[in-house]
Amino acid sequence: MAVTMNAKDVISAKLAECYATIEGRRYLLMQAKDLEAKVEKTKKEVNILGKTGAGNKSTGWKGTGKMTIYHTTSIFDKLLEKYKNTGNDTYFDIQCRNYDPTSAAEGQTVILKGCNLDDGVLASFDVDGDNLEQEVNFTYEDFEVPETFKELPGME
């Protein structure tokens, strides 16, 4: 059965809220331009009796992410400086909610837990750019999906 999508089924990519909770303080990441978090399954190649080809068995997963932010905050710079000065690393949570009141799919919330910066740009300039942006790479250790998109007609 073919599922046809119409405008009321699509979630706007621009309607999202993104928060970071760092050391008990919650920050609205108004400066986030985009965010992408991926789950990559780790697999082991296994032999299968009676077959010449190998199979794959899932053995775990790892979470990685990246976000592009407008460099209008020093939150992440201060985390990197704290690590440099003390050797103490800071883990934090990111909550991202995609919600479009005009869509039948409504919304979804994902919480990335135990996020940790991989790197960061401390200083930059772009004489031709409109906005000062930086890409932030991170890993995370756990996640929850406490709110899911509504099932659309034809998806059952």
Side-chain angles (χ1 to χ4, degrees):
M1 167 196 266
V3 177
T4 56
M5 302 288 284
N6 59 51
K8 72 178 183 67
D9 297 331
V10 178
I11 298 289
S12 170
K14 294 183 186 275
L15 296 176
E17 296 174 334
C18 189
Y19 295 90
T21 303
I22 303 169
E23 296 179 328
R25 186 166 173 202
R26 190 172 190 211
Y27 298 89
L28 174 60
L29 293 179
M30 293 172 53
Q31 75 279 9
K33 178 181 172 187
D34 61 47
L35 177 128
E36 176 182 77
K38 294 171 53 173
V39 172
E40 182 181 337
K41 291 169 61 177
T42 52
K43 296 183 178 185
K44 180 179 180 180
E45 198 171 275
V46 294
N47 294 324
I48 301 172
L49 186 63
K51 293 194 175 195
T52 56
N56 294 288
K57 179 178 179 158
S58 297
T59 59
W61 67 277
K62 73 176 187 178
T64 60
K66 66 179 179 177
M67 61 182 159
T68 303
I69 63 172
Y70 297 116
H71 203 166
T72 59
T73 181
S74 299
I75 297 167
F76 299 118
D77 299 340
K78 295 305 283 179
L79 293 180
L80 293 169
E81 182 181 39
K82 177 183 169 188
Y83 178 71
K84 174 193 69 95
N85 291 339
T86 68
N88 293 329
D89 218 350
T90 302
Y91 291 80
F92 56 94
D93 297 342
I94 296 175
Q95 177 179 324
C96 181
R97 182 171 192 248
N98 298 99
Y99 180 77
D100 187 341
T102 66
S103 170
E106 295 184 11
Q108 174 170 289
T109 300
V110 175
I111 303 170
L112 307 172
K113 297 182 169 192
C115 298
N116 186 262
L117 298 176
D118 291 347
D119 54 31
V121 176
L122 296 176
S124 63
F125 70 88
D126 181 356
V127 72
D128 294 324
D130 293 331
N131 301 300
L132 193 56
E133 299 177 356
Q134 77 178 64
E135 187 170 290
V136 178
N137 297 296
F138 61 93
T139 56
Y140 62 95
E141 297 177 352
D142 200 1
F143 67 95
E144 289 181 19
V145 186
E147 176 190 19
T148 60
F149 291 117
K150 301 286 186 232
E151 243 181 50
L152 299 173
M155 294 180 74
E156 302 87 31

